Amino acid sequence: MTDYLKPLPKSDPVTAPFWESLHRGKVQVQCCGDCKIFVFYPRALCPACGSRKLAWTPVSGKGHIYSLTIVAPGRGPDIFKNDSPYVVTLVELDEGCRMMSNIVDVDAEDVKIGMAVEIVYDCVTEDVTLPKFRPVIPSKTSPHL
Amino acid sequence: MSGLRDATVVGVAESDKIGVVPDKSSLQLQGEATLNALADAGLKLSDVEGVFSAGFRPTEVAEYLGIQPRYFDGTHVGGSSFVVHLGHAAEAIASGRIDVALIVGGESGRSRVGLPAGFSGSHSSAQSMEGQFENPYGLPGAIGGYAMACARHMHLYGTTSEQLAEIAVAARQWAGLNPRAYKREPLTVGEVLASPIISWPFRKFDCCLVTDAAGAVVLTSLDRARDLKKKPVRVIGWGEGSDHQLISQIPDLTSGPGRISGPDAFAMAGVRHEDIDVAQVYDSFTYTVLTSLEDLGFCKKGEGGDFVSGGRIAPGGDFPLNTSGGGLSYTHPGMFGIFTIIENVRQLRGDFVNQSLRQVAGAKLGLVHGTGGKLSATGTVILAAD
């Protein structure tokens, strides 16, 4: 039983390894054995070169915000209408592929294009874990500071 | 090309009423638009051999109208479908397969009476690619997709909310000249900027209307058109293009497939950008216009904000654009493309010649550009009056 009412993904035979990896607290994405690009969403063939040699490959879960929109209260799909302003984003992973997600653990107004983010495993039900992202807080020992 | 006939638009019309029409179903609106467009042409239902529609299947529309078509096309790529149909219908007539084509679209988008199956707002299945990889995150439909594209355009090129507002203000100025427009009261840039955020960076007045309306377009060969009531408008170039369906799969978020459909249409027509007298460019959102003008090559990528500023696209400006008031101020039931064709044909026929600013004086060459889905598919058509 669950009280989570928002839309849930239903995996298919090709996409199941992605969803299963999230459920284990890891993330893996297909990589093309011929042209070497990372492919997302999961497919039966590489959309860049047509190869069928796609291999599930662990990725870092780190990336940056490619773009975003901030949805005003009352303006999203019905089941989201009671949420505070929330961020829907396209995250570009360090490996080069992009995925849609939400940015969490930060005020919506502070989210900017280009911001470094990392994956958060959001276990929304017993069976489904969604990939969400949060800003990477530079540590005090970072050489960039 | 020898052996091919010239295809012409000979009739265009909306449904009897547009705007808020709660007492009429979607198919009823399409039936009215069809009869009105045929009357505009001086043709009858029994003359129609080809039916082109999206939303409803061509067979659903044909059945309702009592037509038994020998040619049909249900290409459904969102709001651009009807502009794509215009090219397809021109091909069917040019090749001699049919003599009379009907393109019809529109719906009860506001009152939601008798909507076609799969009308926008219905959800894709949880196992579809959209259901798995987009719907869980609450993207607010088309608005959210275009908003993300606009946000990146602003980030890369410095495009401003004020520049987007100029597009909404110009549309409203044109609507003020069109008695059938839904929103006609004056609108200022300040009022656009003060309107509430829907899905940042879009505010209320960056977004199209939601109305009840249908439209229809009738085509035949130039030879037959010479015997009909209205001045024929030739279809001289067309193109279509797509580079994604889901917004998360778009190759470049700041560019749309107008860069595919536009060059094809211009090359086929053999005309240049500076030859275009009047243009209707799909305005689901203010940003849709801005990126489309860039993708079509009217200005360079990133320069759309400057291009639309300073009254250039408003009445009296040197680039008359969306002269009905567009989807932002005239009407927008859900899929707007059919209305871009209707308005451009009227301009090229000189239908408004007694209405000063409303008529683009001496317009001979027009461009129609539709965008469907989430910047997913475009159709571009170039029309010419003699």
Side-chain angles (χ1 to χ4, degrees):
Chain A
M1 287 295 292
T2 173
D3 56 2
Y4 188 83
L5 298 175
K6 290 174 178 170
L8 287 168
K10 183 178 180 194
S11 69
D12 64 57
V14 170
T15 66
F18 171 72
W19 294 111
E20 287 163 8
S21 73
L22 296 176
H23 202 57
R24 298 192 305 270
K26 308 279 185 190
V27 57
Q28 59 181 359
V29 171
Q30 290 173 315
C31 184
C32 177
D34 284 321
C35 77
K36 308 301 181 191
I37 72 153
F38 283 81
V39 174
F40 194 83
Y41 50 78
R43 286 167 166 85
L45 73 161
C46 172
C49 76
S51 172
R52 298 185 192 218
K53 286 191 271 177
L54 295 170
W56 287 102
T57 308
V59 293
S60 64
K62 293 185 186 301
H64 66 274
I65 293 177
Y66 178 67
S67 197
L68 70 127
T69 183
I70 305 171
V71 185
R75 294 299 188 173
D78 283 344
I79 198 67
F80 292 82
K81 278 190 171 153
N82 292 327
D83 290 18
S84 304
Y86 62 95
V87 178
V88 184
T89 182
L90 294 177
V91 170
E92 187 164 292
L93 297 182
D94 287 350
E95 290 79 8
C97 55
R98 293 186 207 130
M99 60 176 69
M100 188 175 287
S101 185
N102 299 123
I103 302 296
V104 297
D105 295 348
V106 61
D107 287 342
E109 295 70 25
D110 294 332
V111 181
K112 306 293 179 197
I113 290 174
M115 183 179 268
V117 293
E118 62 187 4
I119 196 166
V120 178
Y121 300 97
D122 189 359
C123 306
V124 294
T125 71
E126 275 184 22
D127 300 321
V128 176
T129 300
L130 294 176
K132 304 284 181 72
F133 288 83
R134 68 183 172 206
V136 176
I137 311 297
S139 75
K140 286 179 181 168
T141 57
S142 165
H144 299 297
L145 286 180
Chain B
M1 281 189 281
S2 64
L4 290 183
R5 308 188 295 177
D6 281 328
T8 62
V9 177
V10 291
V12 296
E14 301 104 330
S15 46
D16 295 355
K17 288 172 67 180
I18 62 173
V20 182
V21 193
D23 57 334
K24 292 183 181 178
S25 74
S26 300
L27 276 172
Q28 182 176 2
L29 293 168
Q30 292 202 8
E32 291 177 357
T34 297
L35 293 178
N36 293 340
L38 286 166
D40 188 53
L43 290 168
K44 305 184 299 294
L45 272 174
S46 56
D47 292 317
V48 176
E49 295 177 297
V51 173
F52 298 71
S53 70
F56 292 109
R57 298 180 190 203
T59 45
E60 291 176 279
V61 174
E63 175 185 273
Y64 190 86
L65 298 173
I67 296 170
Q68 297 177 7
R70 56 171 32 87
Y71 196 104
F72 36 77
D73 184 340
T75 301
H76 189 354
V77 288
S80 59
S81 300
F82 312 101
V83 183
V84 172
H85 293 162
L86 184 55
H88 294 183
E91 285 190 12
I93 285 169
S95 68
R97 287 287 302 275
I98 54 173
D99 278 332
V100 176
L102 166 70
I103 309 171
V104 59
E107 54 273 310
S108 173
R110 186 177 191 90
S111 302
R112 306 184 82 82
V113 184
L115 287 171
F119 184 72
S120 60
S122 57
H123 292 288
S124 43
S125 83
Q127 204 167 26
S128 67
M129 295 304 106
E130 187 175 37
Q132 291 189 56
F133 300 107
E134 292 200 349
N135 290 348
Y137 309 108
L139 185 74
I143 294 176
Y146 284 84
M148 287 202 292
C150 184
R152 185 150 182 92
H153 197 281
M154 295 169 112
H155 173 77
L156 283 184
Y157 301 114
T159 304
T160 65
S161 297
E162 287 79 1
Q163 290 169 331
L164 295 171
E166 290 247 15
I167 296 169
V169 168
R172 187 61 64 86
Q173 289 177 284
W174 284 111
L177 303 168
N178 180 359
R180 301 207 73 175
Y182 185 65
K183 287 283 191 184
R184 301 187 65 205
E185 63 276 15
L187 181 71
T188 67
V189 168
E191 286 167 338
V192 176
L193 297 179
S195 65
I197 294 276
I198 308 291
S199 189
W200 179 89
F202 286 160
R203 296 174 170 83
K204 176 184 172 187
F205 288 125
D206 289 303
C207 305
C208 66
L209 307 168
V210 181
T211 62
D212 305 322
V217 171
V218 178
L219 292 93
T220 190
S221 65
L222 182 59
D223 281 347
R224 187 160 179 186
R226 294 194 197 286
D227 299 327
L228 297 177
K229 289 164 66 177
K230 290 290 171 66
K231 180 178 177 179
V233 173
R234 288 182 293 129
V235 186
I236 63 170
W238 54 87
E240 60 200 68
S242 173
D243 64 7
H244 68 284
Q245 173 61 26
L246 302 184
I247 195 68
S248 58
Q249 296 291 315
I250 191 171
D252 173 358
L253 197 52
T254 61
S255 170
R259 68 185 197 289
I260 303 171
S261 60
D264 280 1
F266 274 101
M268 184 176 180
V271 302
R272 300 167 302 173
H273 291 75
E274 54 268 36
D275 299 328
I276 300 294
D277 298 310
V278 57
Q280 315 299 327
V281 174
Y282 202 106
D283 56 345
S284 46
F285 304 95
T286 51
Y287 173 74
T288 318
V289 174
L290 191 147
T291 189
S292 296
L293 291 170
E294 296 173 346
D295 296 333
L296 290 168
F298 285 102
C299 58
K300 290 182 183 164
K301 184 51 67 181
E303 295 180 356
D306 283 337
F307 186 86
V308 300
S309 295
R312 176 180 275 152
I313 61 173
D318 64 12
F319 192 85
L321 178 76
N322 295 346
T323 52
S324 64
L328 292 168
S329 283
Y330 151 62
T331 207
H332 191 301
M335 296 194 288
F336 178 68
I338 193 80
F339 302 97
T340 63
I341 304 167
I342 292 169
E343 173 65 16
N344 230 31
V345 166
R346 288 172 171 165
Q347 286 287 355
L348 294 172
R349 297 195 308 206
D351 282 11
F352 311 115
V353 72
N354 296 320
Q355 299 174 49
S356 62
L357 270 181
R358 173 86 170 89
Q359 177 67 47
V360 176
K364 297 291 185 197
L365 204 58
L367 176 139
V368 176
H369 181 68
T371 302
K374 294 167 185 165
L375 293 161
S376 313
T378 58
T380 310
V381 174
I382 295 174
L383 299 166
D386 294 321

